[in-house]
Each structure stands twice: as C-alpha cells, then as structure tokens.
Amino acid sequence: GWQFLLKAYLEEFVNVTRTNVVLLILINAYHTSNNFDQKIEEFIWSDDKLKQLYESHSNQMPYLRLVPFPLPDVDMPLLYQLSNVFVLPSRGEGWGRPHSEAMSVGIPVIATNFSGPTEYIKHEQNSILYWMRYAFEHPQQMKTLGIQASKDMNQFYCVDCVGRILENKLKLVVVFVSLVMTAYSFNLKNYFFTSLILHFWFFFFFKDKNKKYSKYNTKKNNSTKQLHKKKKKIK
C-alpha cells in the first residue's frame, strides 16, 4: 500500500518546514518494474488532489527520498535507526518481520490494524496504529514507545523465547503421539477414548497461550475501542 502512505504523507505535511520531515522509502521491485521515480510521478499526477497540491504549493511539499534496493541486511539496523518512526501500511502480513525488526532496535511502528502485527503491536503502549502527524508532533512520546517496543520484542519474541515455546509444543506432540500409539496397542479405538485424548491435547496445548494472553487480549480490546473513539473525534 505505498500509494496510501505517499498520499497521506504528502497531504498531511504540506506547509510543514521541509527540513523538519522527510519520508524515506526503501524500494524493492517485487513482481513489477524498478522504475519507481516514474511510478511515483505518474501516481502523483493521476491523483487530482495531489496534482493540485503540487501545482499550488510546489515549494512547500515535504521531502521524499528513495533508498535503492538491494540494501545489505547488515545495513538495515542503520536505516531503522536513522528514522524516528517506521511506517508500513501493508494490506496484510503473515507476521511482519520489518515491524518486529524496527521495534527491536527501539523504533516505534505505525502499521495497519490487521493480521500478524496485531499480535505484538499494542496501540499507544509500544507503537501506534495510525497518525503520522501525531508521531511528528510528539517526538518524545515516540522515543518512549520505541524503548517499550524494544523491551517487548526482546522479552517475548527473542530467538530463545520463541525456541522455548516451540520446544514445549513439540514435547506435547510427542506426548500426544505416545497416547495414540498406546490406545492402538490396547485396541482402544472407541469414540470415548479418542475424545478423551483430544480433550487432553487441546487443554494442554492451548492452556499456556490462553493464560499468557488473556490479560493482554483484554487490554488489546480496550485499546481498539479507544482507537475507534479517537478516530471518530478526529473525523
């Protein structure tokens, strides 16, 4: 959704002192041509509002810079740390590796309130789900959110943390398979015993996850309600 990002940025920051804000876009030709300068120019001039803005405020439009691809992985932390906020308005993510990378180095994220990243992005606690202008006008709060984001990623989603979770789940798989093999060895193929095994499996497989995230989900739902209220106020 780079078009949404570009349109929102240009409309929101027109008339802002140009040296105070700049949008860095890391470009990547994914199933498309790599002529991004032309793509961006064509998009701007095809949008009536953006075209009008450029015609009437040509010297007051905010800066836009393209970061060429490929950028070596070793340089990605430097790119993140050059920024005050990382913005990725994607339509959907499996997990959202760029989001978690930025948060890990202490950069707050503005992201779409949908799919994978909603698992770890807590609105107004470690990142925000919209408001580029708000992020620009509250730099100190963004630093605070970035610090919390880094703590959350290192505490809950580090390599060792995820490894321990997977290890525990694999142990449960072994237990489940052992129970099934035991049932077959005693010819216990009736529905009652099968149902008992499945109930045992689901209870222990999801018990830790439900316990861990029950409080978080409550906070998350409350946060989402507050988010919608603030959206209505802004409108």
Side-chain angles (χ1 to χ4, degrees), residues 68-81:
F69 184 85
L71 186 70
D73 289 343
V74 69
D75 292 333
M76 285 302 298
L78 297 175
L79 181 61
Y80 287 129
Q81 290 170 344

Side-chain angles (χ1 to χ4, degrees), residues 1-233:
W2 64 268
Q3 296 95 335
F4 300 109
L5 170 61
L6 187 60
K7 183 177 176 63
Y9 170 74
L10 294 175
E11 290 179 357
E12 188 62 41
F13 292 105
V14 63
N15 293 326
V16 172
T17 304
R18 300 180 75 181
T19 55
N20 289 346
V21 60
V22 59
L23 177 64
L24 299 176
I25 300 181
L26 177 61
I27 58 176
N28 184 4
Y30 185 70
H31 295 309
T32 183
S33 66
N34 57 3
N35 192 352
F36 285 95
D37 292 285
Q38 181 179 344
K39 283 180 175 294
I40 289 174
E41 187 175 351
E42 288 175 352
F43 171 72
I44 290 173
W45 292 106
S46 66
D47 184 282
D48 292 336
K49 189 171 182 178
L50 291 181
K51 181 180 178 181
Q52 184 179 358
L53 282 175
Y54 267 91
E55 289 176 342
S56 58
H57 301 82
S58 59
N59 295 323
Q60 297 171 299
M61 298 302 292
Y63 283 127
L64 171 67
R65 297 289 182 268
L66 302 183
V67 180
F69 184 85
L71 186 70
D73 289 343
V74 69
D75 292 333
M76 285 302 298
L78 297 175
L79 181 61
Y80 287 129
Q81 290 170 344
L82 279 174
S83 310
N84 299 104
V85 178
F86 174 78
V87 188
L88 186 56
S90 52
R91 292 179 172 88
E93 298 281 345
W95 174 253
R97 193 182 75 173
H99 307 70
S100 55
E101 287 178 346
M103 292 172 69
S104 295
V105 296
I107 304 301
V109 169
I110 298 177
T112 311
N113 188 18
F114 177 69
S115 68
T118 59
E119 175 72 17
Y120 50 87
I121 291 180
K122 304 174 187 177
H123 180 63
E124 293 190 297
Q125 294 181 48
N126 60 20
S127 285
I128 51 180
L129 294 171
Y130 57 96
W131 300 342
M132 279 193 293
R133 183 71 181 217
Y134 182 89
F136 173 73
E137 293 176 347
H138 298 81
Q140 191 56 49
Q141 184 180 349
M142 293 303 105
K143 289 181 181 179
T144 303
L145 292 179
I147 292 171
Q148 186 59 49
S150 181
K151 288 180 180 178
D152 288 350
M153 296 309 297
N154 284 288
Q155 182 177 356
F156 299 112
Y157 302 103
C158 64
V159 174
D160 290 338
C161 305
V162 175
R164 285 192 293 270
I165 294 172
L166 290 175
E167 181 183 10
N168 291 334
K169 299 308 179 187
L170 287 173
K171 286 179 180 178
L172 288 173
V173 171
V174 173
V175 172
F176 176 72
V177 172
S178 298
L179 286 171
V180 172
M181 296 301 293
T182 302
Y184 271 83
S185 67
F186 285 99
N187 280 328
L188 299 175
K189 299 179 182 179
N190 59 69
Y191 290 110
F192 171 77
F193 193 79
T194 303
S195 175
L196 186 65
I197 290 177
L198 289 175
H199 278 81
F200 171 86
W201 166 253
F202 281 108
F203 173 76
F204 282 96
F205 190 86
F206 292 107
K207 183 180 72 169
D208 292 339
K209 182 177 177 63
N210 291 335
K211 182 178 180 182
K212 179 179 178 182
Y213 291 107
S214 60
K215 293 182 179 179
Y216 164 64
N217 286 334
T218 302
K219 291 180 180 178
K220 182 178 173 183
N221 291 334
N222 292 336
S223 179
T224 303
K225 290 177 182 177
Q226 292 174 4
L227 181 85
H228 291 311
K229 287 180 181 178
K230 289 183 179 180
K231 280 185 178 179
K232 289 180 180 178
K233 289 181 180 179

